[in-house]
Amino acid sequence: MSDDRTTDDERATNPERVADCLFCRIIAGELSATTVAEDDAMLAIRDIAPRAPTHILLLPKRHIGSAAQLTAADARLVGAIFAQAADIARAEGIAEAGYRIVTNVGRWGGQTVDHLHFHLMGGRPFEWPPG
Ligand code: 5GP
Ligand code: ZN
């Protein structure tokens, strides 16, 4: 998804990028973040305001607004992100105790950045249901 403010240069590197999107800017390298893992389709970074000892965000590089915009054509992408999350959880040492993967959708879902991301959180116990 591109909009009118996306330049030709930006389209050349990521045709799906959205100019004002915070996570598109991190993916483009315009804003810094601590990278945990990366491949052609996804980037995993440490959350800037961690709510748990391990708090990592997994982002598709292609701009997708939220889980509400996913389609069956994204099945491989989502599967790959969850496989990355499991690998990262093992590498972070949180796999054995257990952890949480969550994606927030929309205002009542608590979404504050409109670029699909999965929170991988661990290192402490979580309550259910979340607040
Ligand atoms: P949401 O509220 O949309 O589910 O999650 C957005 C997450 O992005 C929040 O946990 C927030 O702390 C994180 N975040 C916001 N701005 C930045 C940033 O500039 N860099 C990083 N690494 N995380 C950010
Ligand atoms: Zn984006």
Side-chain angles (χ1 to χ4, degrees):
M1 187 190 308
S2 299
D3 69 16
D4 292 343
R5 291 157 298 183
T6 306
T7 66
D8 287 346
D9 276 357
E10 289 164 354
R11 268 189 212 101
T13 51
N14 180 1
E16 304 290 344
R17 104 169 248 174
V18 170
D20 286 344
C21 173
L22 174 71
F23 288 166
C24 281
R25 295 190 68 194
I26 288 174
I27 290 159
E30 294 172 9
L31 298 174
S32 65
T34 304
T35 298
V36 176
E38 182 171 14
D39 63 26
D40 287 351
M42 63 78 59
L43 178 67
I45 59 174
R46 294 205 186 273
D47 197 291
I48 202 168
R51 301 297 190 96
T54 296
H55 188 170
I56 290 163
L57 305 173
L58 295 103
L59 332 168
K61 288 188 172 175
R62 175 163 62 90
H63 183 91
I64 299 170
S66 77
Q69 272 83 56
L70 286 168
T71 73
D74 300 312
R76 183 186 294 267
L77 172 68
V78 174
I81 288 174
F82 272 77
Q84 276 277 7
D87 284 348
I88 293 168
R90 283 187 284 271
E92 294 279 319
I94 60 172
E96 194 172 333
Y99 52 92
R100 183 165 291 178
I101 298 172
V102 66
T103 189
N104 298 323
V105 179
R107 192 161 52 93
W108 278 27
Q111 185 177 8
T112 59
V113 180
D114 291 336
H115 179 129
L116 175 65
H117 51 283
F118 297 89
H119 298 257
L120 168 63
M121 306 174 77
R124 67 169 173 85
F126 297 98
E127 298 190 351
W128 191 262

